[in-house]
Amino acid sequence: MAAQGKLRLGVNIDHVATLRNARGSAWPDPLRAALLAEAAGADGITAHLREDRRHIRDADIVALKAGIGIPLNFECAATDEMHRIALATRPHAICLVPERREERTTEGGLDVAGDEARLAAYIAPLRDAGIRVSMFIGHDPRQIEASARIGAAVVELHTGLYSELHAEGRQDEAQAELEALRRAATHAHGLGLEVHAGHGLTFDNVAPVAAFPEVMELNIGHFLIGEAVFMGLGPAIEEMRRRMDAARVA
Ligand code: PXP
């Protein structure tokens, strides 16, 4: 059975902070971007506090939690430090991602199946605190099943490879990846998990993912912040929203 409801757009504002940090100044301000995103129709704000604080910093998380009127999705690695920060912040949601210092962005999904007992213990206090816990995973059924077993509320499917193949014009491979994501969305939904997706999504590749009926939320950052340079952040978000909604109807 397909999920119902409006497809939500979570706007990831990490790269506003990247730009700020490039000059060591106070601007552009991620909170201002988040408020603009909210005004443009974003349904949530996502921010990834990395271990190395390369973009979002602790003070940004505090300011976002206090300042925005839409849900905050706090993205982080499953470390003790982030656990303390999550419990102190009490965001609406937490999305656990794998993290390696040397990577440019989140490469691959979390190995929930290989770290099941630890992750089960890690998320229990977060759930008890009323935080929705999401696992950022690939389309491997083992990872979906492990996420359900440990009691995660949500899985976010990693669309990075699909996006890369699409951008490189490798349409057959992109299509095969899309089919694997589609099966994963159905499988996860069937196990009672809420399904999200994200990574590398753009105006050109968002429609097929937005059309999966089980997907309830897309989290999109880098493309939107880049496009803001040309068309402004509000219009970029509005255009993404338009394309998502059009794909949903179709
Ligand atoms: N979802 C997750 C879990 C991510 O780690 C990221 C990147 O921080 C995104 C979505 C957004 O990806 P992008 O910036 O490529 O749109």
Side-chain angles (χ1 to χ4, degrees):
M1 191 190 74
Q4 300 296 319
K6 178 192 173 209
L7 179 59
R8 296 193 300 267
L9 171 59
V11 174
N12 180 318
I13 42 96
D14 291 350
H15 297 301
V16 178
T18 302
L19 208 53
R20 174 195 63 192
N21 298 354
R23 291 296 290 270
S25 63
W27 53 85
D29 175 12
L31 175 59
R32 185 174 168 200
L35 292 172
L36 222 155
E38 185 176 342
D43 301 292
I45 299 297
T46 296
H48 183 180
L49 186 65
R50 292 186 74 102
E51 184 196 7
D52 63 9
R53 309 300 198 270
R54 72 174 70 156
H55 37 59
I56 293 295
R57 296 173 179 154
D58 301 58
D60 295 320
I61 294 293
V62 174
L64 288 165
K65 178 72 195 332
I68 61 175
I70 50 177
L72 174 64
N73 178 29
F74 175 70
E75 220 186 89
C76 64
T79 64
D80 291 347
E81 181 194 26
M82 293 301 153
H83 203 260
R84 280 193 298 276
I85 295 171
L87 286 175
T89 307
R90 308 241 164 176
H92 168 79
I94 181 166
C95 181
L96 296 177
V97 302
E99 208 177 278
R100 284 198 306 277
R101 264 183 187 269
E102 65 278 13
E103 71 188 357
R104 257 192 296 181
T105 181
T106 314
E107 293 167 0
L110 199 61
D111 182 12
V112 184
D115 201 9
E116 205 172 315
R118 187 184 78 89
L119 287 172
Y122 190 91
I123 71 170
L126 302 171
R127 291 175 53 203
D128 291 347
I131 303 170
R132 279 182 80 69
V133 180
S134 170
M135 299 284 145
F136 187 50
I137 57 171
H139 49 57
D140 180 349
R142 289 180 316 126
Q143 302 299 347
I144 297 166
E145 288 153 19
S147 299
R149 276 196 302 273
I150 66 168
V154 181
V155 287
E156 179 164 330
L157 298 174
H158 196 318
T159 53
L161 179 58
Y162 156 70
S163 300
E164 260 173 51
L165 293 166
H166 187 279
E168 289 168 10
R170 294 158 66 183
Q171 291 312 333
D172 291 351
E173 291 160 274
Q175 195 55 38
E177 182 66 12
L178 198 60
E179 289 310 320
L181 289 165
R182 189 194 312 279
R183 285 192 295 276
T186 305
H187 187 40
H189 179 69
L191 293 176
L193 292 156
E194 183 172 312
V195 184
H196 299 177
H199 213 283
L201 296 175
T202 69
F203 288 159
D204 290 339
N205 67 20
V206 74
V209 181
F212 293 172
E214 297 89 354
V215 172
M216 301 300 293
E217 178 175 311
L218 299 180
N219 282 299
I220 310 182
H222 183 258
F223 176 81
L224 287 173
I225 303 306
E227 205 57 22
V229 172
F230 303 108
M231 62 190 293
L233 184 56
I237 290 168
E238 285 160 11
E239 176 62 14
M240 189 61 85
R241 186 62 294 144
R242 197 188 62 71
R243 292 184 186 228
M244 285 164 53
D245 291 345
R248 202 69 166 181
V249 170

